Amino acid sequence: VQLQASGGGLVQAGGSLRLSCARSGRTYSRYLMGWFRQAPGKEREFVAAITAGGGRTYYADSVKGRFTISRDNANNTVYLQMNSLKPEDTAVYYCAAGLDTLDMRLAFRDSRYYDYWGQGTQVTVSS
């Protein structure tokens, strides 16, 4: 399983970006997908997740109402639409995949439960 994240860049505060995460493999639709981020000097933190079928989404409180996670299983891609960006959103953003099980749905905020990770894409928000 390989994940390829893209879409990062430099944007002014209040702007928008859309991150994409393309996955290779035939069983993509069985995986819960998550986005995490890591700012310099900080631990990696949960941002958003979406269940295998796309029926449920979860967000960190810090991004709720501004970010939207979605997925296109036909094209093996998950997206993170980020609106109203703030300087504190500056980080390297990573997508991750883990089998969509009951345990995973209870632990989706914990990066240790994900099996596969993309390489990260830098998002920089200027004030």
PDB file of all heavy atoms in Angstrom, residues 98-124:
ATOM      1  N   GLY A  98      -5.823   2.927   7.750  1.00  0.00           N
ATOM      2  CA  GLY A  98      -5.912   1.785   8.661  1.00  0.00           C
ATOM      3  C   GLY A  98      -7.197   1.042   8.368  1.00  0.00           C
ATOM      4  O   GLY A  98      -8.206   1.660   8.004  1.00  0.00           O
ATOM      5  N   LEU A  99      -7.170  -0.270   8.512  1.00  0.00           N
ATOM      6  CA  LEU A  99      -8.372  -1.044   8.231  1.00  0.00           C
ATOM      7  C   LEU A  99      -9.544  -0.547   9.082  1.00  0.00           C
ATOM      8  O   LEU A  99      -9.383  -0.295  10.284  1.00  0.00           O
ATOM      9  CB  LEU A  99      -8.117  -2.523   8.505  1.00  0.00           C
ATOM     10  CG  LEU A  99      -7.381  -3.285   7.414  1.00  0.00           C
ATOM     11  CD1 LEU A  99      -7.056  -4.693   7.861  1.00  0.00           C
ATOM     12  CD2 LEU A  99      -8.176  -3.303   6.125  1.00  0.00           C
ATOM     13  N   ASP A 100     -10.691  -0.417   8.439  1.00  0.00           N
ATOM     14  CA  ASP A 100     -11.870   0.129   9.102  1.00  0.00           C
ATOM     15  C   ASP A 100     -12.529  -0.953   9.957  1.00  0.00           C
ATOM     16  O   ASP A 100     -13.430  -1.649   9.504  1.00  0.00           O
ATOM     17  CB  ASP A 100     -12.846   0.670   8.060  1.00  0.00           C
ATOM     18  CG  ASP A 100     -13.941   1.514   8.691  1.00  0.00           C
ATOM     19  OD1 ASP A 100     -14.024   1.556   9.933  1.00  0.00           O
ATOM     20  OD2 ASP A 100     -14.712   2.139   7.935  1.00  0.00           O
ATOM     21  N   THR A 101     -12.082  -1.076  11.184  1.00  0.00           N
ATOM     22  CA  THR A 101     -12.620  -2.028  12.139  1.00  0.00           C
ATOM     23  C   THR A 101     -13.256  -1.276  13.311  1.00  0.00           C
ATOM     24  O   THR A 101     -13.124  -0.053  13.419  1.00  0.00           O
ATOM     25  CB  THR A 101     -11.494  -2.926  12.675  1.00  0.00           C
ATOM     26  OG1 THR A 101     -10.562  -2.096  13.391  1.00  0.00           O
ATOM     27  CG2 THR A 101     -10.777  -3.657  11.557  1.00  0.00           C
ATOM     28  N   LEU A 102     -13.922  -2.022  14.197  1.00  0.00           N
ATOM     29  CA  LEU A 102     -14.533  -1.375  15.360  1.00  0.00           C
ATOM     30  C   LEU A 102     -13.461  -0.710  16.216  1.00  0.00           C
ATOM     31  O   LEU A 102     -13.627   0.421  16.682  1.00  0.00           O
ATOM     32  CB  LEU A 102     -15.304  -2.397  16.176  1.00  0.00           C
ATOM     33  CG  LEU A 102     -15.971  -1.865  17.450  1.00  0.00           C
ATOM     34  CD1 LEU A 102     -16.930  -0.725  17.122  1.00  0.00           C
ATOM     35  CD2 LEU A 102     -16.675  -2.987  18.195  1.00  0.00           C
ATOM     36  N   ASP A 103     -12.342  -1.406  16.395  1.00  0.00           N
ATOM     37  CA  ASP A 103     -11.247  -0.827  17.190  1.00  0.00           C
ATOM     38  C   ASP A 103     -10.743   0.461  16.553  1.00  0.00           C
ATOM     39  O   ASP A 103     -10.437   1.432  17.250  1.00  0.00           O
ATOM     40  CB  ASP A 103     -10.098  -1.829  17.321  1.00  0.00           C
ATOM     41  CG  ASP A 103     -10.428  -2.955  18.283  1.00  0.00           C
ATOM     42  OD1 ASP A 103     -11.407  -2.820  19.046  1.00  0.00           O
ATOM     43  OD2 ASP A 103      -9.710  -3.971  18.268  1.00  0.00           O
ATOM     44  N   MET A 104     -10.668   0.452  15.221  1.00  0.00           N
ATOM     45  CA  MET A 104     -10.149   1.626  14.522  1.00  0.00           C
ATOM     46  C   MET A 104     -11.093   2.812  14.700  1.00  0.00           C
ATOM     47  O   MET A 104     -10.660   3.953  14.861  1.00  0.00           O
ATOM     48  CB  MET A 104      -9.975   1.313  13.044  1.00  0.00           C
ATOM     49  CG  MET A 104      -9.218   2.363  12.271  1.00  0.00           C
ATOM     50  SD  MET A 104      -7.522   2.512  12.857  1.00  0.00           S
ATOM     51  CE  MET A 104      -7.021   3.969  11.988  1.00  0.00           C
ATOM     52  N   ARG A 105     -12.380   2.547  14.702  1.00  0.00           N
ATOM     53  CA  ARG A 105     -13.351   3.632  14.843  1.00  0.00           C
ATOM     54  C   ARG A 105     -13.341   4.223  16.244  1.00  0.00           C
ATOM     55  O   ARG A 105     -13.819   5.328  16.454  1.00  0.00           O
ATOM     56  CB  ARG A 105     -14.749   3.137  14.480  1.00  0.00           C
ATOM     57  CG  ARG A 105     -14.874   2.794  13.016  1.00  0.00           C
ATOM     58  CD  ARG A 105     -16.290   2.802  12.549  1.00  0.00           C
ATOM     59  NE  ARG A 105     -16.397   2.443  11.146  1.00  0.00           N
ATOM     60  CZ  ARG A 105     -17.491   2.571  10.429  1.00  0.00           C
ATOM     61  NH1 ARG A 105     -18.584   3.056  10.984  1.00  0.00           N
ATOM     62  NH2 ARG A 105     -17.505   2.214   9.160  1.00  0.00           N
ATOM     63  N   LEU A 106     -12.794   3.482  17.195  1.00  0.00           N
ATOM     64  CA  LEU A 106     -12.652   4.005  18.547  1.00  0.00           C
ATOM     65  C   LEU A 106     -11.316   4.711  18.737  1.00  0.00           C
ATOM     66  O   LEU A 106     -11.161   5.527  19.646  1.00  0.00           O
ATOM     67  CB  LEU A 106     -12.778   2.868  19.566  1.00  0.00           C
ATOM     68  CG  LEU A 106     -14.128   2.155  19.612  1.00  0.00           C
ATOM     69  CD1 LEU A 106     -14.055   0.960  20.561  1.00  0.00           C
ATOM     70  CD2 LEU A 106     -15.229   3.108  20.020  1.00  0.00           C
ATOM     71  N   ALA A 107     -10.361   4.384  17.865  1.00  0.00           N
ATOM     72  CA  ALA A 107      -8.988   4.853  18.078  1.00  0.00           C
ATOM     73  C   ALA A 107      -8.461   5.730  16.947  1.00  0.00           C
ATOM     74  O   ALA A 107      -7.261   5.942  16.854  1.00  0.00           O
ATOM     75  CB  ALA A 107      -8.063   3.660  18.259  1.00  0.00           C
ATOM     76  N   PHE A 108      -9.333   6.267  16.120  1.00  0.00           N
ATOM     77  CA  PHE A 108      -8.885   6.964  14.909  1.00  0.00           C
ATOM     78  C   PHE A 108      -8.039   8.193  15.204  1.00  0.00           C
ATOM     79  O   PHE A 108      -7.331   8.672  14.345  1.00  0.00           O
ATOM     80  CB  PHE A 108     -10.089   7.359  14.049  1.00  0.00           C
ATOM     81  CG  PHE A 108     -11.081   8.239  14.752  1.00  0.00           C
ATOM     82  CD1 PHE A 108     -10.910   9.606  14.803  1.00  0.00           C
ATOM     83  CD2 PHE A 108     -12.179   7.679  15.379  1.00  0.00           C
ATOM     84  CE1 PHE A 108     -11.827  10.426  15.455  1.00  0.00           C
ATOM     85  CE2 PHE A 108     -13.100   8.475  16.043  1.00  0.00           C
ATOM     86  CZ  PHE A 108     -12.916   9.851  16.090  1.00  0.00           C
ATOM     87  N   ARG A 109      -8.102   8.731  16.412  1.00  0.00           N
ATOM     88  CA  ARG A 109      -7.278   9.895  16.747  1.00  0.00           C
ATOM     89  C   ARG A 109      -5.833   9.511  17.088  1.00  0.00           C
ATOM     90  O   ARG A 109      -4.968  10.370  17.171  1.00  0.00           O
ATOM     91  CB  ARG A 109      -7.878  10.658  17.927  1.00  0.00           C
ATOM     92  CG  ARG A 109      -9.154  11.393  17.599  1.00  0.00           C
ATOM     93  CD  ARG A 109      -9.663  12.162  18.812  1.00  0.00           C
ATOM     94  NE  ARG A 109     -10.842  12.968  18.495  1.00  0.00           N
ATOM     95  CZ  ARG A 109     -12.074  12.491  18.519  1.00  0.00           C
ATOM     96  NH1 ARG A 109     -12.296  11.248  18.856  1.00  0.00           N
ATOM     97  NH2 ARG A 109     -13.090  13.279  18.214  1.00  0.00           N
ATOM     98  N   ASP A 110      -5.606   8.245  17.251  1.00  0.00           N
ATOM     99  CA  ASP A 110      -4.291   7.754  17.670  1.00  0.00           C
ATOM    100  C   ASP A 110      -3.503   7.307  16.449  1.00  0.00           C
ATOM    101  O   ASP A 110      -3.860   6.329  15.791  1.00  0.00           O
ATOM    102  CB  ASP A 110      -4.467   6.596  18.654  1.00  0.00           C
ATOM    103  CG  ASP A 110      -3.180   6.193  19.321  1.00  0.00           C
ATOM    104  OD1 ASP A 110      -2.088   6.481  18.778  1.00  0.00           O
ATOM    105  OD2 ASP A 110      -3.247   5.568  20.389  1.00  0.00           O
ATOM    106  N   SER A 111      -2.417   7.991  16.166  1.00  0.00           N
ATOM    107  CA  SER A 111      -1.631   7.697  14.964  1.00  0.00           C
ATOM    108  C   SER A 111      -1.051   6.288  14.971  1.00  0.00           C
ATOM    109  O   SER A 111      -0.768   5.726  13.915  1.00  0.00           O
ATOM    110  CB  SER A 111      -0.507   8.726  14.816  1.00  0.00           C
ATOM    111  OG  SER A 111       0.379   8.654  15.919  1.00  0.00           O
ATOM    112  N   ARG A 112      -0.916   5.681  16.146  1.00  0.00           N
ATOM    113  CA  ARG A 112      -0.312   4.353  16.227  1.00  0.00           C
ATOM    114  C   ARG A 112      -1.198   3.269  15.621  1.00  0.00           C
ATOM    115  O   ARG A 112      -0.719   2.180  15.311  1.00  0.00           O
ATOM    116  CB  ARG A 112      -0.005   4.005  17.685  1.00  0.00           C
ATOM    117  CG  ARG A 112       1.024   4.910  18.345  1.00  0.00           C
ATOM    118  CD  ARG A 112       1.118   4.638  19.827  1.00  0.00           C
ATOM    119  NE  ARG A 112      -0.133   4.933  20.514  1.00  0.00           N
ATOM    120  CZ  ARG A 112      -0.324   4.698  21.808  1.00  0.00           C
ATOM    121  NH1 ARG A 112       0.631   4.156  22.532  1.00  0.00           N
ATOM    122  NH2 ARG A 112      -1.489   5.003  22.363  1.00  0.00           N
ATOM    123  N   TYR A 113      -2.465   3.565  15.411  1.00  0.00           N
ATOM    124  CA  TYR A 113      -3.380   2.560  14.898  1.00  0.00           C
ATOM    125  C   TYR A 113      -3.410   2.512  13.371  1.00  0.00           C
ATOM    126  O   TYR A 113      -4.062   1.667  12.792  1.00  0.00           O
ATOM    127  CB  TYR A 113      -4.788   2.806  15.432  1.00  0.00           C
ATOM    128  CG  TYR A 113      -4.969   2.317  16.841  1.00  0.00           C
ATOM    129  CD1 TYR A 113      -4.482   3.056  17.910  1.00  0.00           C
ATOM    130  CD2 TYR A 113      -5.599   1.111  17.116  1.00  0.00           C
ATOM    131  CE1 TYR A 113      -4.619   2.615  19.212  1.00  0.00           C
ATOM    132  CE2 TYR A 113      -5.754   0.662  18.420  1.00  0.00           C
ATOM    133  CZ  TYR A 113      -5.256   1.423  19.455  1.00  0.00           C
ATOM    134  OH  TYR A 113      -5.394   0.980  20.739  1.00  0.00           O
ATOM    135  N   TYR A 114      -2.729   3.457  12.734  1.00  0.00           N
ATOM    136  CA  TYR A 114      -2.715   3.496  11.277  1.00  0.00           C
ATOM    137  C   TYR A 114      -1.558   2.660  10.743  1.00  0.00           C
ATOM    138  O   TYR A 114      -0.457   2.692  11.274  1.00  0.00           O
ATOM    139  CB  TYR A 114      -2.611   4.938  10.791  1.00  0.00           C
ATOM    140  CG  TYR A 114      -3.870   5.726  11.045  1.00  0.00           C
ATOM    141  CD1 TYR A 114      -4.127   6.266  12.303  1.00  0.00           C
ATOM    142  CD2 TYR A 114      -4.807   5.926  10.035  1.00  0.00           C
ATOM    143  CE1 TYR A 114      -5.284   6.977  12.553  1.00  0.00           C
ATOM    144  CE2 TYR A 114      -5.965   6.654  10.273  1.00  0.00           C
ATOM    145  CZ  TYR A 114      -6.198   7.170  11.533  1.00  0.00           C
ATOM    146  OH  TYR A 114      -7.353   7.881  11.778  1.00  0.00           O
ATOM    147  N   ASP A 115      -1.826   1.942   9.668  1.00  0.00           N
ATOM    148  CA  ASP A 115      -0.832   1.014   9.127  1.00  0.00           C
ATOM    149  C   ASP A 115       0.052   1.640   8.053  1.00  0.00           C
ATOM    150  O   ASP A 115       1.198   1.224   7.872  1.00  0.00           O
ATOM    151  CB  ASP A 115      -1.549  -0.196   8.512  1.00  0.00           C
ATOM    152  CG  ASP A 115      -2.405  -0.923   9.533  1.00  0.00           C
ATOM    153  OD1 ASP A 115      -1.874  -1.235  10.618  1.00  0.00           O
ATOM    154  OD2 ASP A 115      -3.587  -1.177   9.254  1.00  0.00           O
ATOM    155  N   TYR A 116      -0.478   2.592   7.314  1.00  0.00           N
ATOM    156  CA  TYR A 116       0.249   3.145   6.173  1.00  0.00           C
ATOM    157  C   TYR A 116       0.205   4.668   6.224  1.00  0.00           C
ATOM    158  O   TYR A 116      -0.812   5.261   6.605  1.00  0.00           O
ATOM    159  CB  TYR A 116      -0.365   2.647   4.860  1.00  0.00           C
ATOM    160  CG  TYR A 116      -0.461   1.150   4.781  1.00  0.00           C
ATOM    161  CD1 TYR A 116      -1.654   0.492   5.005  1.00  0.00           C
ATOM    162  CD2 TYR A 116       0.677   0.381   4.497  1.00  0.00           C
ATOM    163  CE1 TYR A 116      -1.736  -0.889   4.956  1.00  0.00           C
ATOM    164  CE2 TYR A 116       0.597  -0.997   4.439  1.00  0.00           C
ATOM    165  CZ  TYR A 116      -0.610  -1.623   4.669  1.00  0.00           C
ATOM    166  OH  TYR A 116      -0.688  -2.988   4.614  1.00  0.00           O
ATOM    167  N   TRP A 117       1.307   5.263   5.787  1.00  0.00           N
ATOM    168  CA  TRP A 117       1.451   6.718   5.837  1.00  0.00           C
ATOM    169  C   TRP A 117       1.984   7.257   4.521  1.00  0.00           C
ATOM    170  O   TRP A 117       2.838   6.625   3.880  1.00  0.00           O
ATOM    171  CB  TRP A 117       2.407   7.119   6.953  1.00  0.00           C
ATOM    172  CG  TRP A 117       1.840   6.878   8.305  1.00  0.00           C
ATOM    173  CD1 TRP A 117       1.829   5.717   9.011  1.00  0.00           C
ATOM    174  CD2 TRP A 117       1.158   7.832   9.123  1.00  0.00           C
ATOM    175  NE1 TRP A 117       1.188   5.883  10.217  1.00  0.00           N
ATOM    176  CE2 TRP A 117       0.768   7.186  10.311  1.00  0.00           C
ATOM    177  CE3 TRP A 117       0.843   9.188   8.971  1.00  0.00           C
ATOM    178  CZ2 TRP A 117       0.077   7.837  11.331  1.00  0.00           C
ATOM    179  CZ3 TRP A 117       0.162   9.841   9.991  1.00  0.00           C
ATOM    180  CH2 TRP A 117      -0.218   9.168  11.159  1.00  0.00           C
ATOM    181  N   GLY A 118       1.497   8.428   4.154  1.00  0.00           N
ATOM    182  CA  GLY A 118       2.063   9.148   3.031  1.00  0.00           C
ATOM    183  C   GLY A 118       3.285   9.924   3.464  1.00  0.00           C
ATOM    184  O   GLY A 118       3.625   9.976   4.657  1.00  0.00           O
ATOM    185  N   GLN A 119       3.920  10.591   2.520  1.00  0.00           N
ATOM    186  CA  GLN A 119       5.189  11.244   2.786  1.00  0.00           C
ATOM    187  C   GLN A 119       5.049  12.642   3.389  1.00  0.00           C
ATOM    188  O   GLN A 119       6.035  13.191   3.839  1.00  0.00           O
ATOM    189  CB  GLN A 119       6.021  11.355   1.490  1.00  0.00           C
ATOM    190  CG  GLN A 119       5.697  12.530   0.605  1.00  0.00           C
ATOM    191  CD  GLN A 119       4.356  12.412  -0.089  1.00  0.00           C
ATOM    192  OE1 GLN A 119       3.605  11.460   0.076  1.00  0.00           O
ATOM    193  NE2 GLN A 119       4.028  13.407  -0.906  1.00  0.00           N
ATOM    194  N   GLY A 120       3.858  13.195   3.417  1.00  0.00           N
ATOM    195  CA  GLY A 120       3.648  14.516   3.982  1.00  0.00           C
ATOM    196  C   GLY A 120       3.710  15.608   2.937  1.00  0.00           C
ATOM    197  O   GLY A 120       4.454  15.523   1.955  1.00  0.00           O
ATOM    198  N   THR A 121       2.918  16.645   3.153  1.00  0.00           N
ATOM    199  CA  THR A 121       2.924  17.815   2.280  1.00  0.00           C
ATOM    200  C   THR A 121       2.881  19.056   3.166  1.00  0.00           C
ATOM    201  O   THR A 121       2.108  19.121   4.124  1.00  0.00           O
ATOM    202  CB  THR A 121       1.749  17.774   1.275  1.00  0.00           C
ATOM    203  OG1 THR A 121       1.838  18.881   0.382  1.00  0.00           O
ATOM    204  CG2 THR A 121       0.395  17.784   1.973  1.00  0.00           C
ATOM    205  N   GLN A 122       3.722  20.027   2.854  1.00  0.00           N
ATOM    206  CA  GLN A 122       3.870  21.211   3.693  1.00  0.00           C
ATOM    207  C   GLN A 122       2.755  22.216   3.423  1.00  0.00           C
ATOM    208  O   GLN A 122       2.499  22.573   2.273  1.00  0.00           O
ATOM    209  CB  GLN A 122       5.222  21.875   3.437  1.00  0.00           C
ATOM    210  CG  GLN A 122       5.436  23.181   4.198  1.00  0.00           C
ATOM    211  CD  GLN A 122       5.628  22.963   5.676  1.00  0.00           C
ATOM    212  OE1 GLN A 122       6.376  22.094   6.107  1.00  0.00           O
ATOM    213  NE2 GLN A 122       4.950  23.775   6.500  1.00  0.00           N
ATOM    214  N   VAL A 123       2.139  22.677   4.496  1.00  0.00           N
ATOM    215  CA  VAL A 123       1.158  23.764   4.418  1.00  0.00           C
ATOM    216  C   VAL A 123       1.689  24.915   5.263  1.00  0.00           C
ATOM    217  O   VAL A 123       1.979  24.734   6.449  1.00  0.00           O
ATOM    218  CB  VAL A 123      -0.225  23.315   4.930  1.00  0.00           C
ATOM    219  CG1 VAL A 123      -1.166  24.504   5.041  1.00  0.00           C
ATOM    220  CG2 VAL A 123      -0.807  22.245   4.017  1.00  0.00           C
ATOM    221  N   THR A 124       1.817  26.078   4.651  1.00  0.00           N
ATOM    222  CA  THR A 124       2.288  27.261   5.357  1.00  0.00           C
ATOM    223  C   THR A 124       1.268  28.374   5.195  1.00  0.00           C
ATOM    224  O   THR A 124       0.901  28.727   4.073  1.00  0.00           O
ATOM    225  CB  THR A 124       3.649  27.730   4.818  1.00  0.00           C
ATOM    226  OG1 THR A 124       4.596  26.653   4.921  1.00  0.00           O
ATOM    227  CG2 THR A 124       4.165  28.921   5.604  1.00  0.00           C
TER     228      THR A 124
END
